[in-house]
Amino acid sequence: MHPQIVQDKPGKCPLCGMTLEPMANAGHADAHGKKVNHTGMIADFKKRFYVVLILTIPIMLLSEMIQHWLNIHISFPGSKYVLLALSSVVFFYGGWPFLKGLVNEARAKNPGMMFLIGFAISVAYIYSVAIVFGLEGMDFFWELATLILIMLLGHWIEMKSVAGASRELELLVQLMPDDAHLLDGEKVTDVKTSTLKENDSILIKPGEKVAADGIIADGETYLNESMLTGESKPVQKIKGDKVIAGSINGNGAIKITVSHGAKDSYLSQVIKLVQDAQNSKSNTQLLADKAAKWLTIIALLAGISTFLYWYLTGQSLAFAMERMVTVIVICCPHALGLAVPLVVAKSTALSAKHGLLIKNRTAFENARKITTIVFDKTGTLTVGKFEVSKIVSLQKELTENEILRLASALEQKSEHPIATGILQKVKDLSITIPATENFNAITGKGVEATVEGKKILVVSPGYLKDNNIAIPDGFTANDTETVVFVIINNELAGYIALSDEIRPESAEAIQTLKQNNIKSILLTGDNNKVAASVSKTLGMESFFAEVLPHQKLEKIKELQSKGEFVAMTGDGVNDAPALAQADIGIAVGSGSDIAAETAGIVLVNSNPTDIVNLVLFGKATYRKMIQNLIWATGYNVVALPLAAGVLYKQGILLSPAAGAVLMTISTVVVAINASMLKVKKNKVVR
């Protein structure tokens, strides 16, 4: 009864106790471990509905109440027993899912929707059987049949709606192709994707999906990664570039060396992350669960109280029983129980499609509370690709290329964007990089090592300041350049200036945040001049420059002490403490594993607009949850008194069947509302 539930192995649904069935796309799922859900149950409910529909027609024709309304008379010897037999089939066959759910929820000591429906139809059936065998009164057989019929139809429709709300996850599963072209020399063999392992060589033909994560060994092409990262434009890939399983190849054939087996692929990790997030419970969902549990108790108490009131005030046993059944049915907390899980299923899968990976549900929902976002500069607000713009030697005997050569020896051990820029320049100039000894990182300041018997340091301006080393005369660098100094045997030998371009999307992202009353602050280890220039250009509120790793955490605490609800973006090991301290930690790009583990949310791309989209989507998601909760609770507030017969004297009385219709409609409304959730990029939230 809960299609949002997905498990790695066969078993029972933890919510309703029904047997889970293999997903329709099991062939795709095999690569990630076979998944099971309620997909097959939609067909089962459909079949049960049609059988009950056929049986309901003669049941209604044989019922005294219907004959009275239609002014007809159908009676023959044993007709009441025929009516009993037909109704028994409807009760046990059509009502089986609800009866099974009643038993499972009772065993779990967690009564809910299935318990209430099972209890209601059991009361109606047992009472009607007693009438057949001598108890005075009028049977409920036609009401029982129509109630079960409507409940089956309602759950059939509801499950289709709910399945639609969760289809994005299934689309992710479908991205993984079933087969791959395994290369053995020039020989090509088609194998199952699930059998691929590290270092296998595979061929990706034009128009095919990439079968595994890997590195291009030969060829070049454009890949469509939109379903994986949210990047709408095809991305050019050449020899040596990484590729992601599930992306769609353009018009070039490429050979790939597999880096991860299917179960360890990026796509598999994303799917697992989505499933974990969907199965985790935030504060909002815990509140909804508690409310649903209390509503179940209220429904039972209200049903019994309604029965006692009408029976003790002189109404017939049949009337009192009918009121009790209607109250119990109409107050089933199904809509309330699904109000949050449906939005969760939709939002987590949608997020993954757009490159927003939610690890912590509460962190995502709290995005609506953000008052300040602290941005890392390099690779987030800027392109992150440093290019050497200037090399200056301060010693006559040293050429610019020699300064670059010695610096590159140290930088080859670093993955920092500055190091990447220096190494690229060395590659362009075809300079041979020497070996290093005694390598050591100077936290937040640079690196040191021994190269060809010389003690070499490549450090930031902050290191010079801390060690009272004077900046040389004639030193120049523009506001957007980042400078590293090269020290040889304790003497300042030269410096290298690198420039990093501001992303064109950054200004738009900062402006959208400002329109939504969210402050943006730059936090960087770069110098004041560069930080001030970037901050001013983008229109940010303020900046913190020359910040060491341990100081990042202190800056976050400082902002929080002022009452700010802080989101922190970061991509490196040195960002991990600050990400953990922030109210919401956001790991961006292909940052370190430590940063990703520490953060509550991971962004696949290092694009500032994705951060804005995350905030706005978090607000939209929470809004949908509240809408569903308001609808689900408001419906019960109105429906319960009507079901109990408060307006009976005014001629307004709901039948059990009408109660079932209203309950079903409320659930479908919740499902449809959840399915309408969309990721709207760079919009102002009002």
Side-chain angles (χ1 to χ4, degrees), residues 509-518 520 538-541:
I510 299 301
Q511 184 60 30
T512 305
L513 289 175
K514 190 173 289 187
Q515 291 172 335
N516 285 274
N517 299 315
I518 298 172
S520 55
L538 296 177
M540 303 177 77
E541 267 70 23

Side-chain angles (χ1 to χ4, degrees), residues 233 373 375 380-382 502-518 520 534-541 607-613 615-616 680-685:
K233 297 179 182 177
I373 297 183
F375 285 91
T380 302
L381 297 177
T382 63
I502 295 176
R503 287 179 178 272
E505 309 94 344
S506 296
E508 182 186 359
I510 299 301
Q511 184 60 30
T512 305
L513 289 175
K514 190 173 289 187
Q515 291 172 335
N516 285 274
N517 299 315
I518 298 172
S520 55
V534 172
S535 178
K536 184 179 179 181
T537 302
L538 296 177
M540 303 177 77
E541 267 70 23
N607 193 325
T609 57
D610 284 348
I611 297 169
V612 177
N613 295 336
V615 175
L616 302 186
K680 295 182 180 179
K681 299 189 175 184
N682 293 337
K683 300 291 184 181
V684 181
V685 176

Side-chain angles (χ1 to χ4, degrees), residues 335 626-636 665-667 669-670:
I626 297 304
Q627 288 171 359
N628 277 359
L629 288 174
I630 290 173
W631 170 262
T633 53
Y635 150 79
N636 282 288
I665 290 173
S666 74
T667 306
V669 167
V670 164

Side-chain angles (χ1 to χ4, degrees), residues 117 120 147 151 324-332 635 656 659-660 663:
I117 296 173
L147 175 59
M151 293 303 299
M324 179 179 72
V325 169
T326 306
V327 166
I328 290 174
V329 169
I330 211 166
C331 286
C332 280
Y635 150 79
M663 193 272 281

Side-chain angles (χ1 to χ4, degrees), residues 39 423 539 661 671:
T39 305
L423 293 172
V661 169

Side-chain angles (χ1 to χ4, degrees), residues 55 101 139 239 291 293 310 313 321 344-345 387 404 438 464 493-494:
L55 295 175
D139 64 68
K239 185 177 179 179
K293 188 173 182 178
W310 287 114
T313 55
M321 293 283 283
V344 168
E387 294 182 356
L404 188 65
N438 306 318
L464 269 60

Side-chain angles (χ1 to χ4, degrees), residues 66 356-357 362 424 628 655 661:
I66 301 298
L356 317 176
L357 308 182
T362 300
Q424 183 60 50
N628 277 359
S655 67
V661 169

Side-chain angles (χ1 to χ4, degrees), residues 48-49 52-60 63 83 86-91 94-95 121 124-125 128 140-152 656-657:
R48 291 179 190 272
F49 166 76
V52 171
L53 176 62
I54 293 169
L55 295 175
T56 298
I57 297 171
I59 289 173
M60 294 185 72
S63 295
L83 179 60
L86 293 172
S87 300
S88 296
V89 174
V90 168
F91 175 69
I121 63 175
Y125 178 74
S128 299
F140 273 2
F141 284 133
W142 80 270
E143 289 99 332
L144 173 69
T146 53
L147 175 59
I148 292 175
L149 182 70
I150 293 168
M151 293 303 299
L152 287 171

